[in-house]
Amino acid sequence: MIKEITAQKMNTKQFIEEKVQEIRAAVGDGLAINALSGGVDSSTVTMLGHRALGKRLKTVFINNGIMREGEPVQVVGYFKKLGVKVEVVDARKEFFAALKGITDPEEKREAITQTFYKKVFGKIVKKSGAKCLLQGTILTDVDETVAGIKRQHNVFEQLGIDPQKAFGYRILEPLIQLRKDGVRKLGKALGLPAELFKRIPFPGPALSARVIGEATPERIEITRKANAIVERALKNSGAFQYMAILHEDRVTGMRNNKREFGLQIEVRCWESVDARIATPTRLSFTILEAIAAEITSKVPGVVSVTYNIASKPPSTMEVV
Ligand code: XMP
C-alpha cells in the first residue's frame, strides 16, 4: 500500500529534502536518466532529479511521433531557460511500427510500454551506463492500473513486474505518493514556470489515447491538429483538461454540395481536482460552435464535431 500525501498536507520543503536524499542514496556516485515529456509530472521529476544529481541526471525527450503540436521544440526551450539540457531522441519509426495494426486500447498501451521501456530506453540506458530511470509516476496512475481500468504505461511493480528483470534497469518514482494537485504545488516550489506546472495533464500514451482504433501516422496527425485547435480555444477556460478525440466511425457529411463520408471529432473538457472524478465543463455554445467551425474547416476530412456531456465515472477522461 502506498501512503498518500495530499496537496494540503505536503510540506514542500521537507518533501524536496527527503526525496533529494533518497534519490542520491539510490543513485550513489553513478548516473541516472529521465524521460521528459513536458507534462506536469515529468517536468517536476526532472527538476527534482536535477536538484539531487545535477549533471549526473541525463534528461531525454523521446520524440515518439504521438506528442502534441510543436512539443519537442517547446519543451527543450522551456528547460533550456531553467538550465537543464534536454537531448531529443527521434524514435518515431519504432513507435509507429509497434502501433501498426493494433486497435485494442490495452494492446496499444502495451505496445507503447514495450517500445518505450525495452526498445528505446533499453538502448539509451545501456549506452549511457546509467543504473536508474527516474520517472514521474503518481498515485492516480497506480490506482487505475491496479483497479484494472486502464493500464497506465508507467506502472510495473504494482503489477508484479520487476523492471530490473524485464528491462535491465531500476526505476525510481519519487512522486508516487502524490496526486496531480500535489505535483503542481511541488513543481512550483521547484521553480517550474506557470506554463509548466499549470499545464493541463497529458497522458503517457499521448495522442494514441485519443485515437479510437489504429493510431497510424495519418490518424495521429488529424488528432494532433484538432487537439491543437481545442487547446488554443480553451486555454483560458480554467478547466482541468481538454482534448480532441478521433472516432473510428465515419459519418455522412457534405462539402461544396457533394457527399463526404467523413471523420468525426469528439471534444472533451473536464472539471476535476485530481482526475479521480470529473464532470464536463459547461462551455458556452458560442465557444463550442467556434471550435466546431475551426476543426471542420482546418482539419482535412472532418465533417462532424461532438461535445462529451458524460461524467467520470462511468466515463474516463481519455477515450481509450
Ligand atoms: P483517465 O482517462 O484514466 O485519465 O480518466 C485520468 C488522468 O490521467 C491522465 N493520464 C493517463 N491516462 N493513460 C491514461 O489513460 C495514461 O497512461 C495516462 N497518464 C496520464 C489523463 O490524461 C487524465 O488526466
Side-chain angles (χ1 to χ4, degrees), residues 177-231:
Q177 292 166 281
L178 310 181
R179 297 199 186 266
K180 199 62 99 190
D181 46 346
V183 181
R184 290 214 166 100
K185 189 171 158 185
L186 180 65
K188 186 179 180 189
L190 284 162
L192 284 181
E195 292 106 304
L196 285 172
F197 76 76
K198 280 200 180 150
R199 214 166 175 206
I200 56 170
F202 189 64
L207 293 173
S208 87
R210 298 182 181 171
V211 171
I212 304 177
E214 191 179 351
T216 61
E218 297 75 26
R219 289 168 59 74
I220 286 286
E221 190 50 38
I222 291 164
T223 314
R224 180 182 286 125
K225 284 205 171 93
N227 199 72
I229 291 170
V230 171
E231 284 202 5

Side-chain angles (χ1 to χ4, degrees), residues 5 8 17-18 68 79 94 121 132 147 155 163 169 178 238 251 266 293 298 304 312 320:
I5 302 176
Q8 294 87 335
E17 269 168 30
E18 268 172 36
R68 284 174 285 192
F79 278 84
E94 284 90 335
F121 247 93
C132 300
V155 175
Y169 50 87
L178 310 181
V251 291
E266 176 185 335
K298 291 190 183 154
S304 164
K312 171 183 180 174
V320 293

